[in-house]
Amino acid sequence: MNKLFLVSAGPGAKDLVAPRAIAAINTCSDLVAYGLYLDLLGDICIGKNHHDLPLGEEVGRARLALDLAASGKNTALISSGDIGIYAMASLVFELLDQQGGNQHATEPHESQSQWQDVEIEVIPGISAMQAGASRIGAILGHDFCTISLSDLLTPWQTIEKRIYACAEGDFVVSFYNPRSRKRDWQINRARDILLKYRPAQTPVLLGRQLTREDESIITTTLEALDAKDVDMFTLVTVGNSESRSIIHNRSSWIYTPRGYSKKL
Amino acid sequence: MNKLFLVSAGPGAKDLVAPRAIAAINTCSDLVAYGLYLDLLGDICIGKNHHDLPLGEEVGRARLALDLAASGKNTALISSGDIGIYAMASLVFELLDQQGGNQHATEPHESQSQWQDVEIEVIPGISAMQAGASRIGAILGHDFCTISLSDLLTPWQTIEKRIYACAEGDFVVSFYNPRSRKRDWQINRARDILLKYRPAQTPVLLGRQLTREDESIITTTLEALDAKDVDMFTLVTVGNSESRSIIHNRSSWIYTPRGYSKKL
């Protein structure tokens, strides 16, 4: 078959995985993923060949998945969230592009690599920002953006330019990879830039291990956002200048209006 | 129970609906949604009370859903895509906020409306941009934003400010509501702004009726993007300055690199 599925495992909860993702995994003999994601998916992974590589070995993981598929094994490369959003799908296509000798071409041309017969299917999934928004209301209710704060692959200058653009455009913003063991100042720098443009009381969501057993949901404000409350398992979503915190039925909610109030 | 589920029905295909959404609908006696969405969901909607209202009656639909739940009927308000992204969730919270008398409050306080006992649960889903990206590769592979081009509720000045911010930040961008019967120039204006900042050959996806029976996928370039090829069922996603078109295994793909090439 030479088929490689790029599978989205969703934020964590089994009942937020699309049936199409489960069906794809069922047709595969080989799974390439962190062990944690396989644990989250549960029984459907039993009896498959598992291939794991240490954190940080993304390139190796993508190559391995392509090699397995090229050797005739139906293979699933699995990422949590949506595999197309800050996950492995982009890297697979980057490898195909480079192997095809396309990197300096102005027109696309046929790949000639050892992976040329691999048939690719991408299966979308629910990303962390959506899981987080759903737990606290509708903070993504109007125009929004996502920014990864990891400067491993993107120069900080580019990231900071995007934070300024996000602030000037008054976008709701979800920060992925807000902090790691070695990166601790980026989220505070992002907060300081946003504070120049939107109110100190702008609602903020800190969602940790979303939809998983040890989920933690904290709602705070932009001025109170601090790196000490954030780790590599946290999604940080900051509202726009019109986002509001309300209490309904003894729970706190955050929503971003689309502007119906003029009509109400 | 007084429970109101805000349910995401996904882009269209049944196997992209989260099991949690199906489970929620199963517990409900009353469904509030466009008839089309109920058709897409299929058999699970049989035997429920359907409540439909004409297109454009969003406020009436949200009020009806809250009223049904307040009267003791387990109710699902259903939107296609993710109900938290350009859909009904935000409006429900906007109504709760206004009924609670919160609209001029600086601190959140308890709602006192006829809806105060309604328990709300939001169920996230796969949005059109994710379905579109998955069909053509990984165009959302790096920082991105979403902008609705509908100026029914948002002044065009605000929308244009966001297009400029998106352009300056070099975000991949998905345009929702790119065109309607009465609005035909906005997508071309957006194209012209983006062309000042990113290459004419920047890859563009036009995804119409994504994952549905009459799905159409067109990949084009920023300079060739034109309102004549876009309607109200089309999602338009424009790559950033680094997005690339490639051909692999006789298919066209678009991806946005995260920057691994420096490591390859």
Side-chain angles (χ1 to χ4, degrees), chain A residues 2 25 27 35 41 48 51 53 88 95 103 111 116 121 126-127 136 148-149 159 180 191 208 215 232 251:
Chain A
N2 292 337
I25 291 170
T27 71
L41 287 165
K48 315 283 188 186
H51 305 270
L53 284 170
M88 296 292 292
L95 285 170
Q103 60 269 44
S111 119
Q116 64 183 327
E121 181 176 340
I126 294 168
S127 185
I136 54 146
S148 169
L149 294 184
I159 298 170
S180 70
R191 172 201 65 204
R208 190 172 184 281
E215 178 184 75
M232 63 186 292
S251 298

Side-chain angles (χ1 to χ4, degrees), chain B residues 159-216:
Chain B
I159 298 170
E160 188 159 306
K161 181 183 76 174
R162 288 189 175 142
I163 299 168
Y164 272 103
C166 150
E168 282 167 7
D170 196 26
F171 287 96
V172 178
V173 54
S174 297
F175 292 111
Y176 283 71
N177 309 308
R179 181 174 178 169
S180 70
R181 237 169 288 175
K182 292 179 184 169
R183 291 186 300 104
D184 61 358
W185 55 268
Q186 285 85 351
I187 187 66
N188 286 354
R189 175 77 186 130
R191 173 202 63 204
D192 293 343
I193 294 169
L194 291 175
L195 275 171
K196 297 179 193 172
Y197 292 81
R198 57 187 80 170
Q201 294 302 309
T202 301
V204 171
L205 160 70
L206 306 180
R208 189 172 184 280
Q209 299 281 37
L210 284 157
T211 80
R212 302 180 190 181
E213 268 186 19
D214 48 347
E215 178 184 75
S216 143

Side-chain angles (χ1 to χ4, degrees), chain A residues 15 20 84 86 90 94 97 102 118 125 130 142-144 146 148 153-154 162 169 244 248 255-256 261-262, chain B residues 15 20 86 90 94 97 102 118 125 130 142-144 146 148 153-154 162 169 244 248 255-256 261-262:
Chain A
D15 64 353
R20 188 179 292 181
Y86 301 121
S90 167
E94 203 165 345
D97 191 9
N102 281 354
V118 174
Q130 297 165 293
H142 208 332
D143 303 329
F144 64 86
T146 64
S148 169
L153 298 169
T154 304
R162 288 190 176 141
R244 291 178 49 81
H248 169 75
Y255 77 98
T256 302
S261 60
K262 293 160 213 152
Chain B
D15 63 354
R20 189 180 292 181
Y86 302 122
S90 168
E94 201 165 346
D97 191 10
N102 281 355
V118 174
Q130 296 165 294
H142 208 331
D143 303 329
F144 63 86
T146 64
S148 168
L153 298 169
T154 304
R162 288 189 175 142
R244 289 177 52 80
H248 169 74
Y255 77 98
T256 302
S261 60
K262 293 160 215 152

Side-chain angles (χ1 to χ4, degrees), chain B residues 32 53 56-65 67 88 91 95:
Chain B
V32 182
L53 284 169
E57 293 287 341
E58 281 80 18
V59 176
R61 191 174 288 111
R63 284 185 190 280
L64 175 60
D67 287 342
M88 296 293 292
L91 175 52
L95 285 170

Side-chain angles (χ1 to χ4, degrees), chain A residues 17-35:
Chain A
V17 185
R20 188 179 292 181
I22 304 296
I25 291 170
N26 276 333
T27 71
C28 290
S29 60
D30 289 72
L31 310 179
V32 182
Y34 293 135

